[in-house]
């Protein structure tokens, strides 16, 4: 990104020193000292600490970029929304993937949406080799489990389809993975525009899977992030395909450039606290639906 005047703080001294050495930046002894030396802070901590740290950052006159999810509960979220304004963004990088942007453009041309299906699945021990059991994904109180950890799918679904009006979910811990959280979830999202989207999430598939399928009046849109292929079937016309990047590295750069650009222009970022609050409410409603075994209206 070209920025060199950086500092790092982590509660784990070894992690902090390793990051400082790798990127040749200064390590701070306390979070307060780190905030005193910065103008913009990136909060990449377990989700239960996001809101308190963001509020502290704002108090110290810092802008804040918060990794998803915004939080694990609604505690403090409204206060952050009111005080954050244009100076807080939540990191949902999948929205910036060129395939998602292409699908969003196509939706407006394909007529009424009849249904949709989304999936995100991988084998957790392979994705986080050697650390999966000690990381946040394995811990219930830190935002782990597929419902919150895979919140990207809900968020980019909202960016494509609009607001969610109801949810019904089923989630389990099927495997013998060393985790405290659900490893599988199946959800029906009822969107305000009048159709349902089924969503499958899991930590179990050893063959990485990430995709979206949208059935419309004029045809079918199928995006496969694992292969990078977008397939569009327009009824009565030729099937078209387009190849996109497989990975997501560039999307992290895009979202940070967007945030920094908004700060410079004093513009509101695409995913401010208010926008991120809706996806969090959806995830929490899914958890409630699982616990109460019923449809939850938002």
């Amino acid at each position: 990104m070209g920025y060199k005047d950086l500092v790092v703080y982590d509660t784990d001294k070894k992690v902090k020193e390793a990051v400082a050495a790798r990127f040749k930046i200064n390590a701070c002894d306390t979070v307060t000292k780190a905030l005193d030396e910065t103008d913009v802070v990136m909060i990449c901590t377990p989700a239960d600490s996001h809101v308190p740290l963001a509020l502290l950052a704002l108090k110290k006159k810092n802008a804040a970029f918060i990794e998803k999810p915004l939080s694990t509960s609604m505690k403090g979220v409204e206060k952050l929304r009111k005080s954050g304004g244009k100076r807080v963004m939540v990191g949902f990088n999948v929205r910036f993937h060129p395939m998602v942007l292409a699908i969003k453009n196509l939706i407006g041309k394909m007529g009424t949406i009849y249904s949709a299906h989304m999936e995100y699945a991988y084998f957790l021990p392979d994705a986080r080799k050697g650390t999966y059991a000690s990381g946040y994904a394995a811990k219930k109180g830190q935002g782990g489990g597929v419902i919150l950890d895979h919140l990207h799918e809900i968020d980019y679904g909202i960016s494509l389809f609009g607001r969610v009006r109801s949810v019904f979910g089923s989630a389990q811990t099927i495997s013998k993975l060393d985790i405290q959280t659900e490893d599988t979830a199946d959800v029906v999202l009822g969107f305000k525009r009048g159709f349902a989207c089924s969503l499958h999430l899991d930590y179990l598939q050893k063959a990485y899977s990430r995709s979206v399928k949208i059935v419309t009046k004029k045809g079918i849109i199928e995006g496969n992030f694992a292969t990078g292929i977008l397939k569009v079937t327009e009824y009565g016309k030729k099937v078209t395909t387009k190849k996109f990047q497989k990975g997501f590295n560039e999307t992290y750069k895009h979202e940070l450039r967007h945030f920094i650009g908004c700060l410079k222009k004093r513009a509101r970022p695409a995913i401010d606290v208010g926008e991120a609050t809706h996806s969090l409410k959806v995830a929490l409603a899914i958890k409630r639906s699982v616990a109460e075994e019923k449809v939850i209206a938002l």
Side-chain angles (χ1 to χ4, degrees), residues 199-248:
L199 171 64
H200 175 78
L201 309 168
D202 76 58
Y203 282 153
L204 306 179
Q205 291 189 48
K206 293 192 176 183
Y208 167 69
S209 175
R210 196 169 202 175
S211 62
V212 57
K213 179 178 180 180
I214 306 163
V215 179
T216 75
K217 182 178 181 179
K218 295 183 179 180
I220 301 171
I221 304 167
E222 297 172 272
N224 190 319
F225 295 98
T227 62
I229 294 175
L230 174 62
K231 178 182 176 182
V232 181
T233 303
E234 291 187 76
Y235 301 139
K237 297 182 180 180
K238 185 179 179 180
V239 175
T240 60
T241 60
K242 186 174 181 179
K243 183 78 173 179
F244 290 87
Q245 64 191 45
K246 288 185 182 181
F248 288 84

Side-chain angles (χ1 to χ4, degrees), residues 32-46:
T32 302
K33 185 177 180 182
L35 292 173
D36 285 338
E37 295 184 15
T38 54
D39 299 304
V40 181
V41 60
M42 296 184 67
I43 300 173
C44 306
T45 57

Side-chain angles (χ1 to χ4, degrees), residues 143-177:
V146 293
I147 294 172
L148 277 173
D149 191 19
H150 290 183
L151 193 58
H152 281 298
E153 312 316 293
I154 293 171
D155 176 75
Y156 91 77
I158 290 168
S159 77
L160 293 177
F161 308 133
R163 298 284 169 157
V164 176
R165 68 180 179 186
S166 65
V167 301
F168 181 73
S170 173
Q172 302 84 25
T173 304
I174 297 173
S175 71
K176 294 183 179 180
L177 293 177

Side-chain angles (χ1 to χ4, degrees), residues 117-121 153 184-187 198-202 205:
H117 175 74
M118 304 171 76
E119 177 170 303
Y120 185 28
E153 312 316 293
T184 305
D186 289 281
V187 180
S198 57
L199 171 64
H200 175 78
L201 309 168
D202 76 58
Q205 291 189 48

